[in-house]
Amino acid sequence: MGELTALPNQFENLIRLGKVALNQRQWPEAIAHLEAAYELQQTTALNLLLISVLVAAGDNQRALQLAFEKKNFYTNESDLRLLYNALLIKNKHFIAANELWATVDATDTFEQQTKQKGQALLKTAEKAYQVAEKQTIKKRQEQLYNITTGDFQDQQRRLDAAELLPLADYLQGVLPILVNPYSHPFVKTTVLETLVRLRYSESVTINWFDQVRQVTPSELELMTNRPVLKLIQKTIQNILGQQDPIILEAALAECQMTFAYLYPFEETVIDNPEEWGQALIQQLGIFIFEPTVPISEKTIQWLKKLQELTEELVF
């Protein structure tokens, strides 16, 4: 959004004009005034009002984009989750809707009833989509089955498209990716983290650096919450905290990328998070750095291997 010079009472006047148009069911005028007000102040109350008008006008895509901007507002409130669920369903974001309810721990009767209603609406919508869009589902599953034929960007696009599938069809399409020895580790991590957010409780098989392993997603933390990653990041911040912020940001980004390849079995590779963090800084070569702890040959070789995986990616 561009910077605007707010005139006295401009925000309130725009909302007033928007509400007048809303009451007259003049949706384009109402949206224009409310969006102009939203450019001045992105309040949750205005976000909700604007979404309501957009839904009434049939612009569900823009309504969902606005909801994404205030996602916590809609997902943390029991009485707003159904609205968020409806927006996800209207835009065929079935996996995001399943993630929504998977992460809701209903602690009282009202929340339990809301969750049951939301899940029922979601399942009904998924079944209707399966009947009406058989060819679309088949095409997206075929694209997942042949995912290694595309470059990294294409693989990411296919995964994004897969999140518009009903849950059962999504699982059928992505689980083989985990066991495919030719799937890039970063792609596997993307799939696995989605399963973690879905709290998928069945054991899945992963081909991890030529090792076949089993893991249960519902028992895992998301990658960003892993203790080993946090310790490595702390090491990098302690060393580079006084450097140029761009250097620190680059090092942390590289840290997260390399860690993603190892998740969720990072502890079999990373024996010492401080050593790993210092070795990573040294490998980046952004400036002259002498580690204060011994760097093992094992760490050097693993970082080299992971760097080669990054070089394979085409962003």
Side-chain angles (χ1 to χ4, degrees):
M1 296 180 181
E3 292 186 6
L4 298 177
T5 302
L7 301 175
N9 302 319
Q10 184 178 8
F11 178 73
E12 291 79 4
N13 287 335
L14 286 168
I15 292 179
R16 179 180 58 79
L17 291 171
K19 288 181 176 179
V20 169
L22 186 161
N23 291 332
Q24 296 173 351
R25 303 179 68 82
Q26 296 176 346
W27 309 130
E29 291 83 354
I31 292 169
H33 290 308
L34 295 176
E35 284 189 331
Y38 195 72
E39 288 192 30
L40 296 174
Q41 294 184 39
Q42 292 82 47
T43 67
T44 52
L46 179 53
N47 183 283
L48 178 58
L49 177 60
L50 184 50
I51 283 176
S52 300
V53 178
L54 287 165
V55 170
D59 192 348
N60 294 305
Q61 185 175 4
R62 173 61 177 149
L64 182 59
Q65 290 173 346
L66 283 172
F68 282 151
E69 293 180 11
K70 303 287 185 182
K71 182 178 177 181
N72 289 340
F73 174 64
Y74 292 99
T75 58
N76 291 336
E77 295 288 337
S78 299
D79 54 350
L80 291 175
R81 287 186 190 125
L82 288 177
L83 170 60
Y84 189 61
N85 184 62
L87 289 174
L88 291 171
I89 290 173
K90 287 177 183 293
N91 287 278
K92 307 297 186 293
H93 283 250
F94 295 121
I95 299 306
N98 277 282
E99 288 177 7
L100 168 66
W101 300 115
T103 56
V104 170
D105 295 318
T107 57
D108 57 40
T109 301
F110 177 70
E111 286 187 342
Q112 290 171 358
Q113 291 174 342
T114 300
K115 182 172 182 176
Q116 290 171 358
K117 182 176 181 180
Q119 288 177 315
L121 290 169
L122 173 57
K123 294 307 174 188
T124 298
E126 285 185 323
K127 288 179 180 178
Y129 186 85
Q130 287 171 323
V131 172
E133 300 292 343
K134 289 182 180 179
Q135 290 304 312
T136 299
I137 292 172
K138 181 181 178 182
K139 181 179 179 181
R140 286 177 177 159
Q141 287 183 326
E142 287 175 348
Q143 290 176 336
L144 292 172
Y145 183 78
N146 298 306
I147 195 167
T148 57
T149 60
D151 60 22
F152 180 70
Q153 287 182 322
D154 182 62
Q155 291 181 41
Q156 289 296 108
R157 283 193 291 269
R158 296 186 196 194
L159 287 180
D160 290 342
E163 295 203 359
L164 303 179
L165 290 171
L167 179 59
D169 302 298
Y170 173 82
L171 293 173
Q172 185 178 345
V174 301
L175 291 179
I177 293 173
L178 296 176
V179 76
N180 187 336
Y182 302 106
S183 298
H184 196 280
F186 193 86
V187 172
K188 291 178 182 177
T189 296
T190 301
V191 171
L192 183 58
E193 283 215 293
T194 301
L195 297 178
V196 173
R197 289 192 297 271
L198 288 166
R199 295 187 179 176
Y200 186 66
S201 58
E202 295 186 25
S203 177
V204 299
T205 302
I206 303 178
N207 189 301
W208 185 84
F209 292 99
D210 298 324
Q211 300 175 31
V212 177
R213 298 196 172 207
Q214 300 283 329
V215 70
T216 303
S218 62
E219 297 175 358
L220 294 175
E221 301 164 300
L222 289 170
M223 186 185 76
T224 53
N225 295 330
R226 303 288 279 189
V228 173
L229 176 60
K230 291 182 177 181
L231 289 172
I232 298 171
Q233 290 170 331
K234 183 178 180 181
T235 295
I236 293 172
Q237 289 167 338
N238 288 341
I239 295 172
L240 300 180
Q242 301 303 315
Q243 298 292 327
D244 187 320
I246 295 177
I247 292 177
L248 175 59
E249 183 179 350
L252 290 174
E254 183 69 16
C255 167
Q256 187 148 329
M257 176 65 77
T258 56
F259 192 89
Y261 301 143
L262 303 177
Y263 173 81
F265 308 111
E266 69 278 355
E267 291 186 356
T268 64
V269 172
I270 303 173
D271 300 317
N272 183 332
E274 183 176 359
E275 174 202 357
W276 188 271
Q278 292 199 27
L280 193 148
I281 292 172
Q282 186 180 46
Q283 177 184 270
L284 284 175
I286 298 175
F287 66 100
I288 297 175
F289 171 73
E290 290 297 330
T292 60
V293 297
I295 307 299
S296 68
E297 185 62 25
K298 173 186 174 182
T299 296
I300 293 172
Q301 291 304 315
W302 266 103
L303 280 172
K304 181 180 178 181
K305 179 188 295 188
L306 301 182
Q307 179 61 36
E308 289 171 354
L309 286 172
T310 298
E311 291 171 358
E312 292 177 9
L313 304 180
V314 180
F315 290 96

